Structure formats: structure tokens, C-alpha cells
Amino acid sequence: MSILITGGAGFIGCNFVLDWLKKNEERVINIDALTYAGNLMSLNELKNDKRHIFVQGDIGDSDKVATILAKYKPRAVINFAAESHVDRSIIGPEQFIQTNVLGTFLLLETVKTYWEQLSELEKSEFRFLHVSTDEVYGSLETSDPGFTEHHRYKPNSPYSASKAASDHLVRAYHHTYGLPVLTTNCSNNYGPFHFPEKLIPLVIYNALNKKALPIYGNGQQIRDWLYVKDHCNAIRLVLSKGKPGETYNVGGSSEKTNLDVVKTLCKVLDGVSPREDGESYSQQITFVRDRPGHDHRYAIDAGKIAKQLGWQPIESFESGIRKTVLWYLENQPWVEAVISGNYRDWVSTQYDKQYENSYYR
Ligand code: NAD
Ligand code: DAU
């Protein structure tokens, strides 16, 4: 038996593959295009593990995906592959349409063709699990209840619009063709192997490297943070017990303003890796230009997955953040390795002009 993972060299995908092979003997085929966000170093510990088969490739390369499906006959496909960074989608939306919309469509087509020639039993047991985001629901006011699975889709960024389109395609392949799909819509993840363009790993990296800690606008936007391993647990549970055609919201019930997140990171870093001058890392906090169309608040109501499948997050925000900071301190070679090439160009496009004079030296 095997499962096929797409985007398994990215942040959540690599955590999923590593966890899966700790808990299961079942082989994982991992197809990833290795964009700037994909990094095989994250999967180093599986280098000699025959249960992990890595294929460099695009989810939109139908021939390659069909060959993999025919060769390994997976009982499930889990689609993590995507362009995932909101700021990049604002500056260059086209790649998001290419991968998240067209790529998901082509993947669905290829998987449908494979699924149609399975036996009736194999067909009924097959699953296509699509990993999506809470951002498809748009933005909440401070006092609104959290997003349930019935919340209207109101995506606001090119990223969330492209994910919303992919969710609709996945739904349509179930409704029209009967493909046994599952969709998860999760809140903000954090933890090991998180690419340092996203808020939490960026702040840890910048703090340790004497750079400004950039907070967009007034820092009062709210996100619902979930430790990545808890998301991986939820995906495994949905894969095994979820009902085809259903969607499941996943969240940490851990809402924080961005300013609070950054202050918490500074406090943990002050404790475990104090600045040479004895000052707090919070001195490095710098307010910068806001993200265009910045969503004010996301919050997930995870009642359905809790009640129906028995899922609960294990980590609190405090325990998860501490683990994350310690992981980054212990894995600086990984951070240095990913901060190269494309990423350096991206950082200068996004930030340098804004606060080149405000770096802490
Ligand atoms: P990521 O950007 O870290 O990783 C994406 C991976 O997909 C990379 O390894 C990249 O090389 C690969 N990839 C990109 N385009 C590809 C293509 N055309 N074909 C094959 N591989 C391709 O993203 P992530 O944070 O790990 O997110 C994974 C999934 O989870 C995404 O679908 C994202 O929308 C969703 N999600 C992320 C979060 C979060 O907080 N990070 C929360 C909810 C949902
Ligand atoms: O909600 C789930 C989503 O979470 C996922 O679908 C996305 O793939 C993932 O990237 C994440 O999106 P966000 O935009 O919420 O994450 P990001 O880490 O980019 O930003 C978190 C918040 O911090 C957001 O309100 C913007 C703010 N921010 C971000 C950066 C990079 C800053 O204030 N400064 C920064 O430098």
C-alpha cells in the first residue's frame, strides 16, 4: 500500500511525510516541483529510507503524475502543493493561478482517470484529500464567531481566491464524477521547517541576525495559530475517518494579534538566547507599510472535526512557540541553506526599501 503526497518538500508537506513514516510503515510517494519553497534538506532523515520515494515534478505534468499513479497504485492522494505566500500573490498572482487553480485541475483530471479504472472496492476506498486554508472565507470582525464549514466563501487576496477556486474544483469532481474527495480548511500553521518569509520564522531569523522585526500596519490583525504537527494529525484523521464530499475546518483556538505574536517570540528569545547587549529583542520591532487588502481576522470553529472525528490540538500556543524557537536555534544550517537565491531577491523586493535604515546594528 502507498499514498501519494504532492508538495511534500514544503513546510506542512515535509512535516506530514516525516510524521507519517514515524507512525506508519506504508510507503509515501512524494511529488514536488521544488520551487523556492520546496527543500529536500527538510527530508534529510529519510535519505536512506526506502519507504519514501521522491519525484521532482509538477502537479500539472499529467504524464508524469499518471506514470506515478500507474506504477505505485496509491490508495490516496494528499494535495499540499501550492503557492502559499499571500504577499507573493499580491506582487505576482499569475503563478498562483497556474499552480493552485490550473495545477489542481490537471491533478484532479489525472487522478480521476486513474481512479476510474480501479476495481469497485478500490474505487470506494480511494481518497483525494485537498489541503486548503481558512483564508477562503475572507475576513472576520473582532466580535464575529469563528468560521464554520458553512461560512460563505469570500476570498480577498489572489492567494485565497486561487485556493477558493481549487476548493470548488475539488467539490465539483465529487459532485459530478463521484471522486471520493475530502477537503480541510486550516488556520495559520507554525513549527519546524517553516520558510522564513512567513511571520513567525521571519521574526526569529531577523531577531537573531540583528535585523528589524517588520510588523505590517498597526499589528492588530488577528490569526488563529496551530502547531504544524497538530495539523498533520488532523489530516491523518480526516484521511482515515472523514466522509467523502465533506470539508473539515481545522484551527488552534489560539487567536493572537500579530503584535502579540512578535512580542511573545521576543520574550522566548530573550530567555533562551539573550542579546549580547542585554536589551530585549522587542527593541527591533519596526512598523512597516501594511499589506494591501490585509485581512483583519481569521478564526476557526473546529467543532465539526472535534465532534465527528475526535480531533483536538495537543500543543498550546505557548508550548508550540517555545518548541519552534528552540528548533530554529538548533537548525540554523537549515535556515541559512533556504535563505539563498530566490529568497534573497524576494526579501529585497518586499522590505529593503522600507526599512534599510532601521536595522538594529
Ligand atoms: P509551502 O509553500 O511551504 O510548500 C509548498 C510546496 O509545494 C513546496 O515544496 C513547493 O515546491 C511545492 N509546489 C509548488 N508548486 C508546485 C507544483 N506546481 N507542483 C508540485 N509541487 C509544487 O506551503 P505550506 O505552507 O507547506 O502549505 C501547504 C498547503 O497547505 C498549501 O496548499 C497551503 O495553501 C495550505 N495551507 C497552509 C497553511 C499555512 O499556514 N502554511 C495553512 C492552511 C493551509
Ligand atoms: O490562514 C492560513 C494561511 O496562513 C495560509 O493559507 C497561508 O498559506 C499562510 O502563508 C498564512 O497566511 P498569512 O498571510 O496569515 O501568514 P503570514 O505569516 O504571511 O502573515 C501572518 C500575519 O502577519 C499577517 O497578518 C501578515 C503579518 N505579517 C506578515 C509578515 C510576513 C507582518 O506583520 N509582517 C511580516 O513581515
Side-chain angles (χ1 to χ4, degrees):
M1 300 277 266
S2 57
I3 59 168
L4 173 63
I5 304 295
T6 75
F11 163 48
I12 305 175
C14 80
N15 276 288
F16 184 87
V17 172
L18 293 168
D19 282 5
W20 179 271
L21 291 173
K22 280 198 185 97
K23 296 172 202 284
N24 292 277
E25 281 310 310
E26 189 175 5
R27 187 168 59 177
V28 174
I29 323 302
N30 181 356
I31 180 168
D32 192 298
L34 295 182
T35 67
Y36 80 94
N39 187 346
L40 279 182
M41 236 181 119
S42 312
L43 296 160
N44 247 354
E45 70 183 75
L46 302 176
K47 228 169 24 194
N48 299 316
D49 193 326
K50 291 199 168 52
R51 298 170 305 161
H52 177 240
I53 295 168
F54 181 79
V55 182
Q56 184 170 3
D58 194 305
I59 53 170
D61 183 342
S62 305
D63 289 345
K64 191 172 264 183
V65 175
T67 305
I68 293 171
L69 291 168
K71 181 166 178 189
Y72 297 106
K73 305 197 175 359
R75 66 171 177 94
V77 174
I78 308 180
N79 185 29
F80 292 94
E83 287 294 332
S84 69
H85 191 34
V86 173
D87 293 320
R88 285 182 190 262
S89 84
I90 293 168
I91 288 178
E94 194 171 339
Q95 192 56 43
F96 286 72
I97 306 305
Q98 190 65 37
T99 292
N100 301 357
V101 186
L102 195 58
T104 304
F105 160 69
L106 291 167
L107 180 67
L108 280 164
E109 270 292 289
T110 315
V111 170
K112 176 171 84 70
T113 305
Y114 162 74
W115 172 76
E116 279 169 346
Q117 51 77 50
L118 294 175
S119 70
E120 284 311 311
L121 179 65
E122 288 168 332
K123 260 170 121 167
S124 66
E125 289 178 348
F126 184 83
R127 297 288 181 270
F128 180 95
L129 193 156
H130 180 61
V131 180
S132 192
T133 172
D134 58 358
E135 299 199 13
V136 297
Y137 298 122
S139 182
L140 293 169
E141 295 301 325
T142 308
S143 58
D144 287 343
F147 301 123
T148 69
E149 290 75 3
H150 301 295
H151 202 93
R152 204 183 125 194
Y153 270 39
K154 277 205 264 179
N156 288 323
S157 71
Y159 163 70
S160 53
S162 69
K163 289 297 289 186
S166 69
D167 292 8
H168 292 322
L169 284 165
V170 170
R171 178 189 150 81
Y173 271 65
H174 175 70
H175 190 82
T176 307
Y177 306 110
L179 189 70
V181 306
L182 299 154
T183 298
T184 53
N185 292 89
C186 188
S187 63
N188 285 63
N189 285 213
Y190 66 96
F193 302 111
H194 203 181
F195 198 88
E197 64 183 352
K198 310 280 169 65
L199 180 69
I200 288 179
L202 179 82
V203 164
I204 299 172
Y205 176 81
N206 280 11
L208 296 172
N209 288 281
K210 304 183 176 177
K211 293 177 179 215
L213 312 182
I215 297 194
Y216 295 162
N218 61 10
Q220 292 310 306
Q221 296 79 16
I222 294 164
R223 298 290 181 268
D224 176 359
W225 292 96
L226 180 70
Y227 192 64
V228 63
K229 305 281 180 195
D230 281 319
H231 186 191
C232 295
N233 292 343
I235 293 170
R236 283 199 310 278
L237 199 57
V238 171
L239 182 68
S240 63
K241 293 203 192 140
K243 192 166 160 241
E246 295 280 314
T247 68
Y248 297 89
N249 282 359
V250 185
S253 299
S254 191
E255 290 183 55
K256 309 279 170 206
T257 67
N258 294 336
L259 190 55
D260 280 346
V261 169
V262 175
K263 283 186 176 164
T264 303
L265 286 168
C266 291
K267 211 165 150 198
V268 176
L269 280 165
D270 288 341
V272 295
S273 183
R275 261 171 53 158
E276 285 158 15
D277 62 4
E279 294 288 330
S280 170
Y281 285 101
S282 58
Q283 300 284 327
Q284 288 162 242
I285 289 177
T286 307
F287 291 89
V288 300
R289 183 180 59 228
D290 207 352
R291 172 184 281 175
H294 199 170
D295 281 340
H296 172 63
R297 173 176 167 240
Y298 307 137
I300 282 281
D301 176 342
K304 176 177 174 182
I305 190 170
K307 272 191 222 91
Q308 295 188 7
L309 307 185
W311 177 83
Q312 289 291 340
I314 293 167
E315 297 294 342
S316 67
F317 183 69
E318 289 64 31
S319 66
I321 278 290
R322 201 178 160 74
K323 278 189 179 175
T324 303
V325 168
L326 293 176
W327 188 89
Y328 277 88
L329 285 171
E330 284 159 16
N331 288 277
Q332 297 205 29
W334 180 90
V335 179
E336 293 303 335
V338 297
I339 297 187
S340 62
N342 286 346
Y343 178 60
R344 263 199 231 112
D345 298 344
W346 162 250
V347 167
S348 61
T349 314
Q350 174 73 359
Y351 300 106
D352 272 1
K353 288 190 194 70
Q354 288 185 65
Y355 59 65
E356 58 197 350
N357 297 321
S358 64
Y359 284 173
Y360 156 74
R361 288 176 213 281

